[in-house]
Amino acid sequence: MMKPITTLLTGAALAGTLSTAYTAEVTVGGKNFTEQQILATMTGQYLTGLDYDVDTRSGMGSAVLRQAQENGQIDLYWEYTGTSLINYNDISERLSPEETYARVKELDAEKGLVWLAPSAANNTYALAMRADDAAERGIETLSDLADAVNADEELSFGLNAEFYARDDGWRPLLQAYDFRVGRRDVSRMDSGLVYQALRDGQVDVGLVFATDGRIPAFDFYVLKDDQNYFPAYALTPVIRQETLDAYPALAEQLNALSAQLDDDTMAALNARVDVERETIEDVAQTFLEQNDLL
């Protein structure tokens, strides 16, 4: 939707992003956890600074948010490639990050949704160690971890119960990297307790989410998944085709924001909210200002 501007536009405004005598109205959505709330707020602030009239609606469930976008109630939000592939398009095939992005881009285009440039932030499962311990043992990748286990290094693991039991979880991971871990070396616990157990030295390796704020806060090192076992969950702005047709400048503008995001950046932003207890609004604004986006 567009609404007329009744005041006289200056030459500077005419030279800006929006060159017509209308204000672009854009509705930005977000899911109901910290990372998504930060992104929704950040995107809203960013687009407001570019003279869009923004309505930000965060705190929505994943399925509800996706349906709202397909129905035209939400113009854009940040989605994860793996979520669209598995949850919205029912694709179980194991694909590389590049293949995952290409597949969801193609499939969702049929539904009137455009995947813009993916960020380098990939909020997928990962295995992490305490940074000093990983460095001392010379373990940087999951292949290094497999070599260490196969060389009979004593390593204990903390996993959540779901990942331990999933058909695409722990056992297939061991097969993919060709190493074995005895049951006595694996502790199953709630996800939140894994971080505490790893921090406190109760386990040597823990299952984490790659952009969780506790990773930098607790000085963890995320082991590189060098065989691409874990599904890709690249964080990407997704916009309705109709919205992009109306405001084509949004593609370049949102891609500029996407280019600033990676795992370390998102983890640090999440930590500022979840660990340091800063407000989401302040965290988003500071990030935009520091990157000359506001």
Side-chain angles (χ1 to χ4, degrees):
M1 294 181 293
M2 294 181 173
K3 64 182 181 183
I5 295 178
T6 56
T7 55
L8 181 64
L9 293 175
T10 65
L14 288 170
T17 303
L18 303 175
S19 59
T20 67
Y22 292 91
T23 295
E25 293 184 341
V26 179
T27 302
V28 176
K31 302 185 186 184
N32 55 358
F33 53 93
T34 299
E35 178 167 281
Q36 282 278 315
Q37 292 171 340
I38 291 172
L39 287 165
T41 300
M42 182 187 299
T43 304
Q45 291 178 354
Y46 173 54
L47 295 181
T48 297
L50 293 172
D51 292 330
Y52 291 89
D53 184 0
V54 180
D55 179 10
T56 302
R57 303 178 189 177
S58 61
M60 303 174 70
S62 184
V64 172
L65 178 55
R66 167 69 177 218
Q67 190 63 49
Q69 187 178 44
E70 290 188 18
N71 291 341
Q73 298 166 292
I74 296 293
D75 291 308
L76 68 95
Y77 76 99
W78 295 77
E79 186 54 276
Y80 305 91
T81 51
T83 300
S84 178
L85 186 76
I86 298 167
N87 296 88
Y88 305 146
N89 289 292
D90 298 321
I91 304 297
S92 58
E93 180 183 357
R94 188 173 296 280
L95 302 173
S96 71
E98 295 77 17
E99 291 169 335
T100 299
Y101 173 78
R103 184 73 64 85
V104 298
K105 185 178 180 69
E106 176 186 4
L107 292 172
D108 283 347
E110 299 172 3
K111 303 170 186 176
L113 305 179
V114 180
W115 284 72
L116 300 176
S119 73
N122 179 23
N123 193 9
T124 186
Y125 281 122
L127 293 182
M129 300 178 64
R130 293 179 299 282
D132 56 352
D133 188 32
E136 183 177 339
R137 295 176 186 266
I139 298 176
E140 296 184 356
T141 68
L142 292 183
S143 290
D144 292 339
L145 177 66
D147 290 342
V149 171
N150 290 337
D152 294 327
E153 284 195 40
E154 292 187 5
L155 289 160
S156 57
F157 295 76
L159 310 173
N160 67 37
E162 178 188 354
F163 183 76
Y164 182 85
R166 281 172 52 153
D167 291 337
D168 60 348
W170 177 239
R171 293 180 185 84
L173 172 66
L174 298 181
Q175 294 173 359
Y177 279 94
D178 192 24
F179 70 110
R180 293 184 179 181
V181 176
R183 288 187 177 183
R184 67 179 182 177
D185 295 320
V186 178
S187 298
R188 285 169 279 178
M189 60 191 78
D190 290 341
S191 294
L193 295 178
V194 172
Y195 293 85
Q196 298 177 32
L198 182 58
R199 178 194 61 188
D200 297 341
Q202 296 170 343
V203 298
D204 301 308
V205 184
L207 181 75
V208 300
F209 293 97
T211 61
D212 193 291
R214 287 166 290 191
I215 292 173
F218 295 166
D219 196 25
F220 293 163
Y221 175 78
V222 175
L223 304 181
K224 296 180 179 62
D225 179 16
D226 50 310
Q227 293 188 29
N228 293 321
Y229 171 78
F230 292 112
Y233 285 86
L235 190 56
T236 308
V238 181
I239 186 169
R240 294 175 61 239
Q241 183 68 62
E242 289 182 5
T243 305
L244 192 57
D245 289 342
Y247 315 121
L250 278 169
E252 182 177 351
Q253 292 159 346
L254 290 169
N255 286 344
L257 179 55
S258 183
Q260 301 299 320
L261 305 177
D262 57 23
D263 286 355
D264 291 341
T265 298
M266 287 311 310
L269 293 173
N270 290 333
R272 288 176 58 188
V273 174
D274 288 335
V275 179
E276 299 170 26
R277 301 302 178 187
E278 296 183 47
T279 68
I280 288 172
E281 291 74 17
D282 286 348
V283 169
Q285 181 177 340
T286 301
F287 174 83
L288 292 171
E289 291 173 345
Q290 290 175 341
N291 288 278
D292 297 321
L293 295 171
L294 192 63

